[in-house]
Amino acid sequence: MSKKSFPLSRVYRLLEPGPVVLVTTAHKGKANVMPLSWHMMMEFEPPLVGMLLSGRNYSFELLTASRECVINIPTVELAKSVVACGNCTGRDRDKFAAFGLTPKYVDGVAPPLIEECYASLACKIADTRMMNKYNLCVLEVTRAWKDPTVKQARTLHHEGMGNFMVAGERIKLASKMK
Amino acid sequence: MSKKSFPLSRVYRLLEPGPVVLVTTAHKGKANVMPLSWHMMMEFEPPLVGMLLSGRNYSFELLTASRECVINIPTVELAKSVVACGNCTGRDRDKFAAFGLTPKYVDGVAPPLIEECYASLACKIADTRMMNKYNLCVLEVTRAWKDPTVKQARTLHHEGMGNFMVAGERIKLASKMK
């Protein structure tokens, strides 16, 4: 795996810009993957992430059963796979094999990391109190990996109906904000 | 104002890509503005938005007192103003005047819209149950405006420590997702 361990204190820098993510889940020998954009940072360290996932999704079943998931961040090269993953259910097919995503299992984490994604965040459910009303769960990121050679990731940002913005140029300003 | 009324059913297309926003608040004749990136869509229509705002911020006081805010979306031309707004408090100064942001008041909405932002979303607090533990409030977007001439907004996406990604090229894929 080209990804290396990444400090938990910097995880917010990956999710805060709002990329589409590929969430992997696994339970009792079944694994699944789905794209998702409704997430937000909720705490720096340990990193907490709010994630909203419809109860109709197969991934929701696996997530609530195993209480863990991996948030993988794809770049534009994976755009077709991302959309393909969202256009069907994993209930009756292996989406990894179907759409060219390589599951990579690491010790102590049930869902697979996606080899082709430049960053992966292993998460455990930290709070389910908003699940009934909003399908919102609070995740704690327990381990993170990132490909150190990727500097300005060309992430995908969903604008509805299959329209995506691709991450563009970077600018830096003098800021006191973390 | 160059912004026109924008359908609530499409609000998710503005916030889902994860732009930095400028949140305006007002209470008893005082108004304030601050940049914020920790937000997420939670429902399509009526649009619900989760927003996390530290209890230490002056804006938090105004928001909880008035129970409303306006989420304004800036583009890269406003980058310096965005960072300047985040580098100081509005407790003892008028940040609008200081950083070249024009407050625009509309009937029935207490906080001002920001004239220079291409989109503005008037919000009311819908749920405060996650406020104590997470500083997370659920907002309902009640009215929205967008400049119809802005097609591919060059929004700002925070990557930490004053580093921003600027929205780049757009691509479209055949998707069944909303």
Side-chain angles (χ1 to χ4, degrees):
Chain A
M1 186 166 72
S2 52
K3 290 193 275 276
K4 307 292 177 198
S5 183
F6 185 72
L8 293 181
S9 60
R10 294 188 178 186
V11 161
Y12 77 97
R13 301 183 190 184
L14 303 175
L15 288 185
E16 195 169 309
V20 173
V21 297
L22 286 171
V23 175
T24 52
T25 45
H27 188 61
K28 292 189 175 171
K30 300 270 252 176
N32 197 29
V33 50
M34 72 171 286
L36 181 147
S37 284
W38 290 15
H39 59 76
M40 71 184 290
M41 287 304 303
M42 292 180 63
E43 185 55 86
F44 288 106
E45 196 176 9
L48 296 182
V49 178
M51 188 175 85
L52 205 139
L53 180 55
S54 165
R56 290 187 303 273
N57 286 107
Y58 180 48
S59 293
F60 185 89
E61 284 176 35
L62 298 178
L63 171 66
T64 49
S66 71
R67 300 186 65 86
E68 57 180 315
C69 66
V70 175
I71 296 175
N72 303 275
I73 311 182
T75 44
V76 65
E77 298 77 13
L78 295 176
K80 282 185 184 175
S81 300
V82 168
V83 171
C85 280
N87 280 348
C88 67
T89 177
R91 226 177 270 278
D92 47 19
R93 73 152 84 189
D94 175 352
K95 290 204 257 182
F96 297 94
F99 306 123
L101 300 171
T102 311
K104 163 92 181 173
Y105 289 89
V106 299
D107 279 349
V109 180
L113 282 56
I114 296 176
E115 187 71 35
E116 292 79 7
C117 289
Y118 85 101
S120 294
L121 314 173
C123 304
K124 288 191 187 299
I125 292 183
D127 195 332
T128 57
R129 281 174 292 176
M130 287 80 88
M131 211 111 168
N132 277 346
K133 177 149 188 178
Y134 295 112
N135 286 326
L136 171 67
C137 64
V138 180
L139 302 168
E140 179 181 332
V141 182
T142 56
R143 294 171 69 187
W145 300 265
K146 179 182 168 289
D147 182 340
T149 66
V150 175
K151 298 298 183 193
Q152 300 191 341
R154 298 190 68 217
T155 46
L156 292 162
H157 300 254
H158 193 231
E159 299 186 310
M161 312 297 283
N163 295 287
F164 294 88
M165 175 271 280
V166 183
E169 62 166 316
R170 262 65 173 189
I171 60 174
K172 182 166 172 65
L173 290 100
S175 171
K176 295 180 194 166
M177 289 178 286
K178 188 172 183 180
Chain B
M1 186 165 75
S2 52
K3 291 195 274 277
K4 306 292 177 197
S5 183
F6 186 72
L8 293 180
S9 60
R10 294 188 178 185
V11 161
Y12 76 98
R13 300 183 190 183
L14 304 175
L15 289 185
E16 195 169 311
V20 174
V21 297
L22 286 171
V23 176
T24 51
T25 45
H27 187 61
K28 291 189 175 172
K30 300 270 252 172
N32 197 27
V33 50
M34 71 171 285
L36 182 147
S37 283
W38 289 17
H39 60 75
M40 72 185 290
M41 287 303 303
M42 293 180 61
E43 185 55 86
F44 288 106
E45 196 176 8
L48 295 182
V49 178
M51 187 175 86
L52 204 137
L53 180 55
S54 165
R56 291 187 302 273
N57 285 107
Y58 180 48
S59 293
F60 185 89
E61 284 176 36
L62 298 178
L63 171 67
T64 49
S66 71
R67 300 185 65 86
E68 55 180 317
C69 66
V70 175
I71 296 174
N72 303 274
I73 311 181
T75 46
V76 65
E77 296 79 14
L78 295 176
K80 283 186 182 173
S81 300
V82 167
V83 171
C85 280
N87 280 348
C88 66
T89 177
R91 227 177 270 278
D92 47 18
R93 73 152 83 190
D94 175 353
K95 290 205 259 182
F96 297 94
F99 306 124
L101 301 170
T102 311
K104 164 89 181 176
Y105 289 90
V106 299
D107 279 350
V109 180
L113 283 57
I114 295 176
E115 186 72 34
E116 291 80 7
C117 289
Y118 86 101
S120 295
L121 315 172
C123 303
K124 288 191 187 301
I125 291 183
D127 194 332
T128 57
R129 279 174 292 176
M130 286 82 87
M131 212 112 168
N132 277 347
K133 177 149 189 179
Y134 296 111
N135 285 326
L136 170 67
C137 65
V138 180
L139 303 168
E140 179 181 333
V141 182
T142 55
R143 295 171 69 185
W145 300 265
K146 178 182 169 287
D147 180 341
T149 66
V150 175
K151 298 298 184 194
Q152 300 190 343
R154 297 190 68 216
T155 46
L156 292 163
H157 300 255
H158 192 233
E159 299 185 311
M161 312 298 282
N163 295 288
F164 294 88
M165 174 272 279
V166 182
E169 63 166 316
R170 263 63 175 190
I171 59 174
K172 182 166 172 64
L173 291 99
S175 170
K176 294 179 192 167
M177 290 179 285
K178 188 172 182 180

